[in-house]
Amino acid sequence: MVDKQQTEDGRTQASAPEDGRDEKPRRRQARGERRIAQLLDAAATVFCTSGYTAASTNAIAREAGVSPGTLYQFFPNKEAIAIELGDRLIHKMRDTYGEVLTPADTAAPLRELLDGIVDRFIDFNCQHPAFFALMHGPDVPGRMAEAHDALHAALLARLQDLIAFYAPDAPRAATARIAEMCFGLFKAGLELILAHEGAERDGYVTELKNALFRYLDPVIGDAVGAVAQPPGATSGG
Amino acid sequence: MVDKQQTEDGRTQASAPEDGRDEKPRRRQARGERRIAQLLDAAATVFCTSGYTAASTNAIAREAGVSPGTLYQFFPNKEAIAIELGDRLIHKMRDTYGEVLTPADTAAPLRELLDGIVDRFIDFNCQHPAFFALMHGPDVPGRMAEAHDALHAALLARLQDLIAFYAPDAPRAATARIAEMCFGLFKAGLELILAHEGAERDGYVTELKNALFRYLDPVIGDAVGAVAQPPGATSGG
DNA sequence: GGCAAACACGAGCGGCCGCTCGCGTTTTTC
DNA sequence: GAAAAACGCGAGCGGCCGCTCGTGTTTGCC
């Protein structure tokens, strides 16, 4: 499992100058770090409104208030901007779901569990709308898709464990499909939620929670609520 | 209601040569019609794999086995290709949902109703994958988005009527939100279904039906199943 | 057969975009 | 304070893409 760790990606900092590779260690000044953050903010805005492909590097530079040349002082190409932005968002996301999707404290009833999970993820996505655009956009670069797939798989595995905890008798194939389905349902609800504001948004949040709860309740009810279920009574799935 | 009819869009054929406008009636030969169909098929393939923006007209022409000049003999620009393809698909879609979403024969139980609707729409989308790509792609041309919005609104209105029929006491705002939610859930399930084949696909179809049924059953149950519900008992929405 | 219109071709034009390069400015280091 | 390195600029290069145009071929009509 250690090989799966992705350390720090070594993009913004290198270990030694005499590395021997073609790596340029390029020691950043504080000003440079500020510019990078500025550029990533601008990139988030532009990617969010135009999508990855339609976003032009010149537009990102303009949004950040710098020249195209300055942008390419900190990023080797357009893809690297999206990757760095995506990595930072994914790290934040990992912090978020790390707190929520741990199957340790699953003694809570489903309704409350869902409340916590959904609220956290909704909140994250509302505060970082570029995340949704980068993850679910159809035109992200290849390296980005890998990161997305990794995150997707990780979230899915956690979700599956959670479902399996509530419904231990269900076969793996079934829980996997249910987990994928939950993910898709959440994504659909998220899209509606991001498209509305205020009371409307709250209404859709409630609706999403209802949909997820009602979808999952019978699944876990089969194994938890009715323990002495006869083995022949599979629920048409 | 007559003004809402969109006749034939008058794109492929015109009424009279002495029209007086800048319209060029351009009488097509059988060969030309064949080429148009050929080009639209190719466009469907390319749009489906690359999305609208990333698809190049040269690629569409190549896919159809003709030269770029030939393509522009039948379509004024790239957008027109997507629009014509979208219009044809929308017309087919209208035929499909016209048969299914009519609120006339809603005497059927929810499960069977959902079965019919979902099966039809899934079938349509499996046979015309370009439809999904064109309708839900983020980079479709403006004229396309209008058509999509119109179809979306029409489907939504039908769905809302259907829901209102089953739950006549629910306020319009609530049924509208529920209809939007159903739409989103269906879209999410469709995406999963299109991404799988064979037994896996069937499994997701069942799962989608389950999700929709469980989401809608309590909603219509509140008004149909328990008629003598006290007015104060609103279900947490 | 003869003529006009529709069909077909493909090299190439204009424009946009990702990216570079030469040069000037600010900061760090000794 | 002076050399070195990081920062900053913006005109412009190469390449791709949507689209055109001049020319040649096929089809419909008399």
Side-chain angles (χ1 to χ4, degrees), chain A residues 71-161:
Chain A
L71 187 151
Y72 281 93
Q73 188 118 157
F74 302 100
F75 299 99
N77 51 46
K78 181 178 168 182
E79 184 176 350
I81 305 174
I83 290 174
E84 180 63 27
L85 179 59
D87 273 2
R88 296 196 177 192
L89 287 172
I90 282 179
H91 273 116
K92 280 190 187 174
M93 170 59 107
R94 281 191 136 88
D95 294 345
T96 298
Y97 87 74
E99 298 174 5
V100 177
L101 276 188
T102 52
D105 56 342
T106 43
L110 179 63
R111 192 98 217 183
E112 292 177 18
L113 185 72
L114 273 178
D115 255 31
I117 295 177
V118 169
D119 282 340
R120 297 275 195 120
F121 278 86
I122 293 292
D123 197 54
F124 178 86
N125 278 280
C126 287
Q127 283 183 18
H128 306 284
F131 182 79
F132 191 85
L134 271 186
M135 288 298 122
H136 306 298
D139 49 6
V140 291
R143 174 85 169 60
M144 192 81 213
E146 291 175 28
H148 169 254
D149 286 349
L151 180 66
H152 183 88
L155 283 170
L156 218 65
R158 296 263 194 149
L159 235 180
Q160 195 175 356
D161 286 349

Side-chain angles (χ1 to χ4, degrees), chain B residues 27-29 31 35 67 69-70 73:
Chain B
R27 303 180 41 168
R28 297 256 170 255
Q29 301 178 353
R31 187 176 28 149
R35 277 270 180 266
S67 80
T70 298
Q73 188 119 157

Side-chain angles (χ1 to χ4, degrees), chain B residues 55 64 119 200 208:
Chain B
D119 281 341
E200 275 292 300
L208 171 59

Side-chain angles (χ1 to χ4, degrees), chain B residues 8-21:
Chain B
E8 278 285 335
D9 266 316
R11 197 171 302 105
T12 47
Q13 53 205 24
S15 51
E18 67 277 16
D19 196 74
R21 298 294 193 89

